[in-house]
Amino acid sequence: MTLTKSTRYLIVVATATASLSACYAMKVAVTGTTGRLGRQAIQLLSSNGVQTRCLLRHPIDASISPSIEKDASSSQIASYLSKLPGVSMVEGDATNAASCKELIEGCDAVLSLHGPVRPPPLQSLFCLLPESDPKHSRSVNYLAVQNLIDAVQDSETCKRIVRVTGKGESPTQIFTVLINMLGNMAKAWNYEGEQLLRTSGVDYTIVRPGVMGRDDIPTNKVLALADNGGDLKVTPVTHSQIASLCVECLEYPNAAKSTLTAMNVEEGTGEESYAPLLAEVQSDTRDFPTSLMSEHKKAARNGAAILAAVMAVFSSGAVAVTKSVWGVVIGLVSR
């Protein structure tokens, strides 16, 4: 028997509703605790009564005043989050396998919301940071994901990983090239980390959001999702929107083993919440490229060569102008 779209929707909604109370009884682990996305997700989980274990690289400083304001330091944010109901902190780093095992102990799911710190541009351009360094994108976007997979596979309770990455299947796209050039191949390693999840056998949900950072964007019926890693026009999205999506997808068993592109559309043409969109999500069915690393590296090298050529032209022009100005000055002085 073939089910209609509306019937399938009702079945999925009923399943999600039944699992809602189970979701609130969950214990969820979070990485990327003090990042703008992590802090939003933790506050949302706490407000819904979900027990939350958060990975934190440094111990809480009791002398620091708690704050969640935008200009607050990571220490202040950590102090604030640690005082929320149901929230506990686990000291460690996602790039450390033992830390990941300790983090997910007794948890049912993990929100992998960590990302690399933006490096100095010249450090990335000239490959000055070894790939083995814990701050390198390979360590953060790839090895840390493998650590979480290993921890989940060894766990008796934790069965779900939600990982936030980004659109990275078009290595020659200008923004992808720039991020790879200036971010230690962050886009490339994000995609390789996605592939670790797809081949792990673990129930994963990969979220590929738009450009996070702005809060001054329309929010009335703008939400859109494309499963199977589908293509949507890249748009600004808020951290709160993506945090909500990460938490909500735990309520939908059908969103397991799925890759979701999350963007905003023209106001009034999207959805008010992610619920109806998540109800329609299906697991990945297409064959994702096994690896795109060589394509990413080639595009980044070409981008670096173009940048070097532009800088050379600019420098030669600047030298010529300087010589001309200096010649005029010498002429005036000689009169």
Side-chain angles (χ1 to χ4, degrees), residues 14 17 35 39 53 85 125 155 165 233 293 330:
T17 302
R39 70 184 77 165
R53 286 170 63 84
L125 276 173
S155 171
T165 59
K233 179 183 177 182
M293 183 56 70
I330 294 297

Side-chain angles (χ1 to χ4, degrees), residues 119-136:
L122 292 180
Q123 180 194 82
S124 180
L125 276 173
F126 293 102
C127 302
L128 301 178
L129 188 69
E131 287 188 349
S132 58
D133 191 286
K135 295 180 182 178
H136 195 281

Side-chain angles (χ1 to χ4, degrees), residues 64-110:
I64 295 292
S65 300
S67 176
I68 200 65
E69 299 300 322
K70 279 187 177 182
D71 59 350
S73 67
S74 59
S75 296
Q76 289 178 301
I77 293 165
S79 180
Y80 177 92
L81 295 174
S82 69
K83 299 179 186 304
L84 294 177
V87 172
S88 59
M89 296 293 174
V90 176
E91 189 176 342
D93 194 295
T95 62
N96 179 275
S99 294
C100 291
K101 275 197 165 188
E102 182 182 357
L103 172 69
I104 70 166
E105 187 175 341
C107 291
D108 303 283
V110 55

Side-chain angles (χ1 to χ4, degrees), residues 323-335:
K323 285 182 177 180
S324 298
V325 172
W326 185 247
V328 171
V329 171
I330 294 297
L332 292 172
V333 171
S334 301
R335 288 180 181 179

